[in-house]
Amino acid sequence: AQKILNTISGDFELEGKPNQITCSIGISVYPLHGEDADTLVIHADAAMYQAKMKGKNNYCLYQKSPENTSKSLVVSSSSALP
């Protein structure tokens, strides 16, 4: 995930104007976080929103909460760029 963030994120110029791309990544892993594509996407989406809450250029890994398996808990996250 860190390599993807480093590759995608950055400054560039478009039609003479400065622009910046940032990225938030949510990660879910088969079969740990789901056994079908729909469930994996839902869990990755929940992790992505956690990454967004931490600010720009972050990634988070989804994990089921021990108290309630229907809720998400982010157990791994990283700030990619300052």
Side-chain angles (χ1 to χ4, degrees):
Q2 188 66 53
K3 286 182 181 183
I4 293 169
L5 288 173
N6 290 341
T7 300
I8 291 175
S9 302
D11 298 327
F12 67 98
E13 195 171 295
L14 181 63
E15 296 181 0
K17 297 179 183 179
N19 290 278
Q20 183 179 35
I21 292 178
T22 61
C23 183
S24 298
I25 299 173
I27 303 167
S28 63
V29 179
Y30 172 85
L32 183 63
H33 303 131
E35 295 194 11
D36 60 79
D38 290 338
T39 302
L40 290 168
V41 169
I42 289 168
H43 291 164
D45 190 55
M48 180 195 65
Y49 280 103
Q50 290 293 321
K52 286 179 177 285
M53 288 175 50
K54 294 186 175 285
K56 297 177 181 179
N57 293 317
N58 282 294
Y59 64 87
C60 292
L61 175 66
Y62 176 88
Q63 182 174 328
K64 291 180 183 175
S65 170
E67 298 86 36
N68 184 346
T69 58
S70 67
K71 294 184 179 179
S72 67
L73 172 67
V74 175
V75 294
S76 177
S77 64
S78 175
S79 293
L81 302 172

